[in-house]
Every structure is written in C-alpha cells, then in structure tokens.
Amino acid sequence: MFATFFLERDPMSWADLPLAVQSWLQNAGGVAALAVALWCISWTVQNRGRVNPFAAYPAFVVPAALAGVCYLIVVLLFAGKVLGMSFVDDLLPTTAGALRASAGDWLLTLGGLLALAAVVGPIAHAFAMRIRWGRIWAIARLSVKEAVRNRVVLLFAAMAIVFLFADWFVPYKPEDQVRNYVRVVYWSMTPLFLMTASLLGAFSIPTDVKSQSIHTIVTKPVEKFEIVAGRFLGYATLLSVGLAAVAGLSLIYVVRGVNPDAARESYKARVPIYGQLTFSGTKSMYEGESVGREWGYRWYIGGPVLESAKMPRQYAIWSFADLPRDMARVDETSSEDPKLRSVPFEFTFDIFRLNKGEENKGIYCTFVFMDGRLSIPDLERVQKAAYEERSQLQTKASTQIADPSERQKRLKAIDEELVRKYGLFEAPGFEVTDYHTQTLRVPSHLFERLAELEKERPREGLPGEEAPPMMRVVVSVDHTSPTQMLGVARRDLYILAAEQPFWINFLKGILGMWCTVLLVLGVAIGCSTYLSGIISWLCTVFLFGAGLFKDSIRQLAEGQSPGGGPLESAYRVFTRTSQGAPLDQSPTASLLQGGDDVYRWWMRRFLNLIPDVSRHDLHQYVANGFDISWGQVLLTDNLIPLVGYLLPWGILAFYLMKFREIANPR
Amino acid sequence: MADQDVVVETRKLTKIYRDFWGRQKKVALRALNLKVYRGEIFGLLGPNGSGKTTTIKLLLGLLFPTDGDALVFDQPAAEVRKNERIGYLPEESYLYRFLNAEETLDFYGRLFKLDAATRRKKAAELIELVNLGADKKRILKEYSKGMRQRIGLAQALINDPELVILDEPTSGLDPLGTRWMKDLIVNLRNQGKTIIMCSHRLEDVQDICDRVAILNEGELQELGSVRSLLEDVQRLELRASGVQLNEDLRKDLESVLAKHGGVIEFIGHPTTTLEDLFLRIVAQSKAHPGRRYLPEKAAAKPVEVKDSSTHVSR
C-alpha cells in the first residue's frame, strides 16, 4: 500500500475569509477602476461637455468619482515615498501578511469597492427593472432542448466505456480497491464533463450570432444579458443533471462488492481534527531534518544516536489548541474490554531508512499524549517520574495481590491513576509501518483529566505569547531504531473525531467537480460574449490549463523561482552562472533584474485571471477516506471562491453583450 | 399626418461600418430622415447594399447608429422595452431548427411573458393562420423554405404587435405563398398595424405599399406614396369596354387627341399579369383535379382512361 492523504495547502477557513475578500476587492476593484477610467475618457472625448455626466448617470458617476479620489490618494502616497517623505512608509499598501491594515490598504480596498459599485450599479438596476427570470428560464429551457436534441447527452454515455473496461487496466490490490476505483471514476468524469462544458459554453452564443438566430431573440423584449444568463443556467442545469446521473452510476460501480481490506482503509469518511506541527531537537521549531527528497511535504526526525549522546533528542510535536468536550467512544473492535472508552488517533508516516533494517518490519516509536502546558524539558522529567512511580506501584501490586485477575485490574487502575496524576499517556515501542494508516487508542481518562485541568487552571501564555495548547502529541523514534528516520507532516497525525458514510462523501466530492464544471462553463460563456467560438474555447482551455499550474506561476510571479525571472535566467545561461550563485552587481544585471520586476508585476496581475482549479479537486479526500466538511471545504474553499471568480466574468459578460452590435459582422 | 401618428422616425441616421481598429470600411447609411405613420405599409426599396437592411437593423437595435437618431414609438431604438410592440420577420427565417412549430411559438411567447394558456391559444391561432396545422409537430429542420418563412411570420405576430417589420417577406415563397403573404400584410394593415417591409420584388411593393422610400448607396433617393411616385402626368391612360378595336375607332381617337395636342402611343387589348394567370390556373386545377394541359391535337382526341390517375385530361 502506498497511499496517504496529503494536502499541500490548507483549505480556506472562515478566519481566512476577511483577507480573501480584501484581496478580491483590491484585485477585481482595480480592474473595474481601470475599465471605468477608460470608459470615462472615451465618454468625455465623445460628448465633449455636451452632457452633464452627474445628471445623466448619477449612480455611476458618484462612486466612480469617489473611487478615483481613493486611488489618487494612494498614488500621492507613492509619490511621497519617491520624494523621500518617511512618514508615508507606514501608510503605504502592504503586500503580505494577515488582514492588510495600513491606510493605503484600506484606500485600495475602498477604491476597489467603489469602482465595483460603479460597474455593478447599472447591472443591479437592470436586474431590478428589466431582467426577468421568466425569460432567462425560457432561454435556459431552449439551451437544454438544443443540447438534448443535438444528442450532446450521448457524450455522458461515454462513461459506460469506463464502467465496462476500466477493470482491465486498474492495478488490483485488495486494500486499494476503493481508492483506485474512485480515482478512475473521477479522472474519467472530470475531462468528460469539462470538455462538454467548455464546448457548450464557448460555441453557443457565437453559433447563435453566426446563424442569426439571436436576431429573433434580441428583437423581442429581451435584455442581452438574459441570453447569457439563460445559456449559463440551461447548460448548468443540463450538466448538473448529467453529473448527478453519472455520479450515481459511478457510486454503484465503486461500491459493488467492496473488499474488506479496502473497506478498512478507505471505505469511510474520517472526520479528523488536526493539530499544528512543530519540532524539537532540530535546527528550527518549524523544520525537521531534510533527507534530500525533492518533494518537501514532509520533514524528518531521527532516532537517538547512541555515540553522540550530547545531541538533543528529536521530537515531532502536534499541538491541539482546543478539543471537543466529549470525543471518547467505545472501541467496538476491542476484544479486551468491550466497554473501554477511548479516543482514536490515526497516523500515516513515511520511513526513510539510513540502513537496510529488518525486512517487513517498521521502526519503533514512542507516542506521548500529554497536557499542553507541559514543555519538552518537562516531558522528560515527568516521563521519568511517572516511570519510576509506575514501577514501584506495579511491583507492590504484584507482590501484594495473588489473584491474577485482581492483579490485572490493579495494574490498570495504576495506569489510570498515573495518567490522571501526571496528565500524560505514553505508548512506547509502537511499530510504525511505512505509509500505512495506523490507529492508537488513547484512554478517555486522559481527556477527562485535561477537561478538569481546563477548569482548575485556565491556560495562559507568557506576556506576548499565545496560550499553550490543550494537548500535545509527541512522537520520537526509539533507541531500537537509531538510524532510521520518520517522515512527518502536519496532516499525518490526527484525532479521529467521527466516521461518516462513504457514499455521502463521494457525492460531496462530486460537488467539487460540479464547481469546476461551472467555472469552466462560466469562463467559456464569458469569453463567447465577445470572441468567436473557437477562440473562446481556446481561451477557456488556456485559462484552465494555467489554473492547473497556478502554484508554479505564483512562484514565478512572486520571485520565488530559483535563478530569477526570464531575463535573469537567460543572463545566467549566457554567462554560465549557476542558479544558486549571486549575480555580480553590474549595470547589465541590474537592468535585467529590473526588467524581471516589471515582468513579475504583470504576472501578478495575470495571476488574478487564472482560476484556482486545484482547490475544486476533492477526489483525494474521497479516495483516501477523509470527510469533506460542508463548511470549510465545500462552502469556504469551493463555493465562495467559485462565486468570487465568476462574478467579475459575469460583470464583464454583461457589458460586452450590452455594447455588442449583434448584427455587425466585424 | 399628425405628429402623434408617427411610429418610426429617423433623424440624420448614419451608419458607418468600421474594422476592429476603427478604420472606416463602408458608409452603409448616410443621414437618413424619414417618418413612418401609424396604419401604413411602408416599403424600403433599393439595390443590394443600398442600406435597406441596415436601416431595419438600426430600428431594431441590432446595430447602433454612428450618428443621428432612430426612434420607434418615440423611444430610442436601443431601448429594449419598445420591442414589446414590435414583430420582426428576418430575411431568412433564422429560427431554431431543432424545435417544432408549436415549441417555436411557445418559446417566443415566453419571451413576451405570455401565460401558458395564452401561449397555447395564440400558437394554435397562428399555426392555423399560416397554414401549418398539418406540420406543427415536425421540427423546423424538415421544413421547406416557404414553410420556414410562414412560421417566421407567425413568431413575428405572437405578441400581436403594433409595428411589423418584414425583411424580404416574400423571399422563398411560390406565387401562391406570395399572394397569401401580400393578402396577409394588407389584412394586418387593415387591422390598424403599421408595416415596414423591404423587398427586391418591386411588383410586391407596388401592389401593397402605401408609401415607399428608395435608397441607393446609403442615401435616400425618393420618398412618397406609391401612386404619386408612379404617376406619369405626361401620359394619359384610357380604359374602355364594350367596343372592339378597329380602324374607325383608332382614327376617331387620333382626331380627338390631335385636337387636344396629343398623339396615340399605344392602343390595344390589355394583358393580365402572369401572377394572375398562374393563380387562376392553380385555382382551376384545384377545382377540377386531374385536369392537365395537352397540345391541341391531343386535346381533340381524349386519352383513353386506363386507371384512376388524376393526370389525364377529361
């Protein structure tokens, strides 16, 4: 088995939303402001003072003028910086960090908001006064009929090929059955539906314009945007119904005769609680050891090297800030004590071997679950004290209690007492297997004790520091595996808070695909309001393709790529300078780096056009049996960004259609 | 006519087609001034590229004027609400070919926000009006050009418009269909509707239009009532019945005209139009199925009837 769930980027949460909205207002508003400025110049040139704009378009001119004032102040701030006025430094807009709160940031945000208000105002007015859902629905019905009668829906039947023949090509391992089937289904459905959406969206309006069918619609009391909205709604309905039908069949295909090993591995939807990962004994709190793997998702910790006892022991520490009140539940699989209540922790680690080790054996690690107030130096002291006390009590119990069952009960009671006394539970010598999902059950009395401590001694941090977490899980490699390294990432260890049914999770994953389909459809229809069918389709494919590489493009735009921008890289090639070496500060190098800065500025603007398509790919969750949360994953990380991305396209489509001469062959 | 009767007005309406870079490609219409009054049939005439269709598209808001104004019902042509009172039949019937006649009319009825019962009623009436009752369930892809023109006209009338704009309404129609269309247009005018039509078929325009505008190279060349434009005051036409043409009559007429300073240019029996002849023959054929033209010899000797074929003379 070589599979584990990994996420290189956390889904957007409610806490991230203010910054996201601010960025959106600044970016979308900036584009709107540019469009408003161009329109104002064009209007002024055409009318040359014959019409008073404030009287003609008050709802547009007032916010546009106020937006202009905001942007003018920002320009003046930058001018002040150029002129050496040091007091403006704190007022200038920032480019990173949490909610950007300088005066410049707020001016950019406000300016963007006002510019958007200026362009959205006429649209809102049109929706209130002229646009009618009845007509939009009529055009939507027409779109569905057109697609059905042109046999577009037969494309969906292509999935039958996958259902019939995929088994021939899917590598078969019992425990990977569900995972592989989920991947096959998602990777088949995604291109099928995206291709259909892009073709329908890109060609519908241009075909109507070319065939002049649109003439008979726009000569009725129909707003041109109603055609756009109707087309979008119709195709979205068709694709949604098609997606639901194919998803239902796919679900049957995936779940028929699930292998027991596969069921244990991924035929479920785990609801995890993740902690924050830090390290101790490594060069940095946030970084472990690097073993030279290109994929930097995991850091590594090593076992104690006996020859160098002075080296600090390395720990991976997961901190859980707050825990739900009652997570403990009965372990129904336990044969020892059917009533024992415990909290399951699951983990999947990578093992990097420095020597061959024993075949089919993992490495041995110690897991400590403890009160978050305890630090690592405390840990070793408390561990030692608990160990000594346990030894004494166990010896005493062994000598005093003759009856084996009574003695066993006493030993358990001793463990429970010590957990309560020290706020710590230890699982030493646990064999960790490479890339296997394993479970450790922590007795519920540790959590009861943590809850008591929470009431007795509220957690408080040192001045200027955050409060300590409620709980820490500390993992270290044992002495028995000294030369092996354990690869860990934040999401490799989690509390298994609950398990949900697989089928619901599968359908939630389809909702992610649905978001991608709507995104592609929206972009294709948006492009087609101005461009021809084939060009619209190519633009859509280009934007979607760029979206797949958005992280790499972002690195390029933010100057994080090694070797600099294109000009600097070319310079390095010609001068045979390695990527890592600093450039000599010649005028040529400075000029090229300045050119790269300009290039990066444009790339950052272009970055806003590119959709973040990878966030809508949720199949990893489903394939690996992790729950897709309604709130964080579906709503804040999928639906809200989708609306945020499509909204500017909708505004653009409104104006492109409004000002388009339908009958002009240009 | 009084100003309140003006349905369409253009003031210095100009349209210049430009390319993507704004360079002038063609002046399609130059400072057109005209008015169309309520209840008249107004014809736009002109050779290809004269600006007829451009004028219609400007009135419908399909194109934006480069200069000047186009007003329909006193509203700018770009105003969408005016379309509630307009019906438009394009030159080619560019309807959705995957719909049948009923669905087509239902779709366009929905755009006017007609309720379901009204849509059904109107669709049935219009399908009956355009004689497509037998074909109402066939999709438009299977229709002939004439049938598409008929359903196109039906969609233009779905909202019971006050102004009907027809671009080449008789295009693709056979003489029967042409006559039917012309009768229908006159009928619409008689119901108080205003009609604007452009056509290449001058006889159609002459037959039914009250006023015409003649365009060439985007400029208005002539505007007026058909009668006043066609009237030749230098010539006189006399029609008479009850007499046969002979030399005496000719001499008498010549002497009368000579007395008033005129000369006979032509004197003879009038001919009917080919259209009238065609319509009469088709009507007779319908009245007597099986009748056909035979050369005079064959006609003298009737063909022996061998079967029940209708292609035999009687």
Side-chain angles (χ1 to χ4, degrees), chain A residues 557-573:
Chain A
E558 292 174 356
Q560 294 169 357
S561 49
L567 295 178
E568 185 183 330
S569 298
Y571 182 71
R572 283 177 186 275
V573 169

Side-chain angles (χ1 to χ4, degrees), chain A residues 129-130 132-135 137-139 141-143 145-147 149-150 208 210-224 231 530 657-666, chain B residues 15 17-22 25 57-58 60-65 79-81 83-84 86-88 90 94-96 98-100 103 106-108 110-113 139 141 155-156 158-159:
Chain A
M129 304 302 293
R130 301 194 299 274
R132 293 291 173 265
W133 287 106
R135 286 195 290 264
W137 183 238
I139 294 167
R141 281 167 50 101
L142 179 84
S143 306
K145 260 185 195 161
E146 183 177 28
R149 294 198 180 162
N150 289 334
D208 273 4
K210 195 174 174 185
S211 71
Q212 301 189 17
S213 306
I214 202 168
H215 291 193
T216 55
I217 296 184
V218 294
T219 51
K220 305 285 182 284
V222 174
E223 286 287 330
K224 288 177 195 162
R231 286 289 182 187
Y530 185 74
M657 275 305 266
K658 185 178 170 66
F659 294 120
R660 179 173 184 169
E661 283 188 306
I662 293 293
N664 194 339
R666 183 170 73 186
Chain B
K15 178 65 189 174
Y17 288 113
R18 297 181 189 278
D19 66 8
F20 180 80
W21 306 107
K25 277 200 304 190
K57 287 176 176 172
L58 284 163
L60 289 164
L62 292 169
L63 292 172
F64 304 143
E79 177 56 58
V80 171
R81 260 175 287 192
N83 292 347
E84 287 172 5
I86 296 179
Y88 169 56
Y94 301 111
L95 304 175
Y96 290 98
F98 53 87
L99 298 176
N100 64 33
E103 289 170 335
D106 183 73
F107 169 65
Y108 289 105
R110 282 173 186 272
L111 298 183
F112 284 101
K113 299 204 74 198
I139 58 170
K141 194 158 56 176
Q155 66 81 26
I158 189 80
N159 56 323

Side-chain angles (χ1 to χ4, degrees), chain A residues 40 45 90 175 241 311 325 330 355 467 476 493 528 531 547 596 650:
Chain A
C40 287
V45 169
D90 293 339
E175 66 270 28
V241 171
M311 283 182 70
R325 191 157 287 276
V330 172
N355 64 10
S476 57
L493 183 143
S528 74
L531 303 171
D596 278 344

Side-chain angles (χ1 to χ4, degrees), chain B residues 146 150 170 172-180 201 278:
Chain B
R150 286 161 183 259
T170 53
L173 295 181
D174 59 19
L176 274 176
T178 303
R179 171 56 66 91
W180 169 84
R201 293 165 74 160
F278 178 85

